[in-house]
Amino acid sequence: QRKLVESGGASVQAGGSLTLSCAVSGLPSRFYAWGWFRQGSGPEREAVAVIDNDGTIDYTHSVVGRFTISQDKVEDTLTLQMNDLKPEDTGTYYCAAGLGPKGSLFRLKVDGYQFWGQGTQVIVSS
């Protein structure tokens, strides 16, 4: 059974840190690109950080230098370390998998990811 389960969301003050984890089952890591996405107050879900199945990592511009994505292929977990959090980082964070490799043009495209977790809530207060 294909399953992604996020955890680690919480309420923090601006400048704080959180670590999000995603436990994966039923999806062999070598076939997929993996990513963290978020749904804020706006209508669209956006990519935050992704790892393509060739190991290439991309971040959306607003989190560069603050967030780090990593993957443990033995434990089948995907992690997002978030530092120096800002109120605009508030939202529901989802991990997702999509067949890869995606390449630079498609790696951060939301509609390229077929399998999604249920999300975990992050609230950053000023």
Side-chain angles (χ1 to χ4, degrees), residues 73-84:
K73 294 183 180 182
V74 174
E75 297 294 329
D76 281 337
T77 58
L78 187 71
T79 300
L80 185 68
Q81 176 64 44
M82 305 187 294
N83 298 325
D84 189 23

Side-chain angles (χ1 to χ4, degrees), residues 31-121:
F31 296 129
Y32 293 92
W34 303 88
W36 285 97
F37 300 77
R38 67 186 174 196
Q39 179 81 53
S41 58
E44 295 189 0
R45 191 172 296 185
E46 64 168 344
V48 175
V50 300
I51 298 179
D52 215 331
N53 67 336
D54 65 359
T56 304
I57 292 176
D58 267 334
Y59 297 96
T60 193
H61 179 73
S62 64
V63 308
V64 170
R66 301 188 297 122
F67 290 12
T68 302
I69 188 172
S70 60
Q71 183 181 29
D72 186 328
K73 294 183 180 182
V74 174
E75 297 294 329
D76 281 337
T77 58
L78 187 71
T79 300
L80 185 68
Q81 176 64 44
M82 305 187 294
N83 298 325
D84 189 23
L85 283 158
K86 304 177 186 298
E88 52 264 40
D89 295 319
T90 293
T92 301
Y93 283 69
Y94 301 88
C95 71
L99 288 172
K102 295 198 172 294
S104 59
L105 291 179
F106 301 102
R107 200 170 289 129
L108 292 172
K109 301 290 187 184
V110 173
D111 58 7
Y113 292 79
Q114 295 83 32
F115 303 102
W116 293 82
Q118 82 290 347
T120 186
Q121 184 77 20

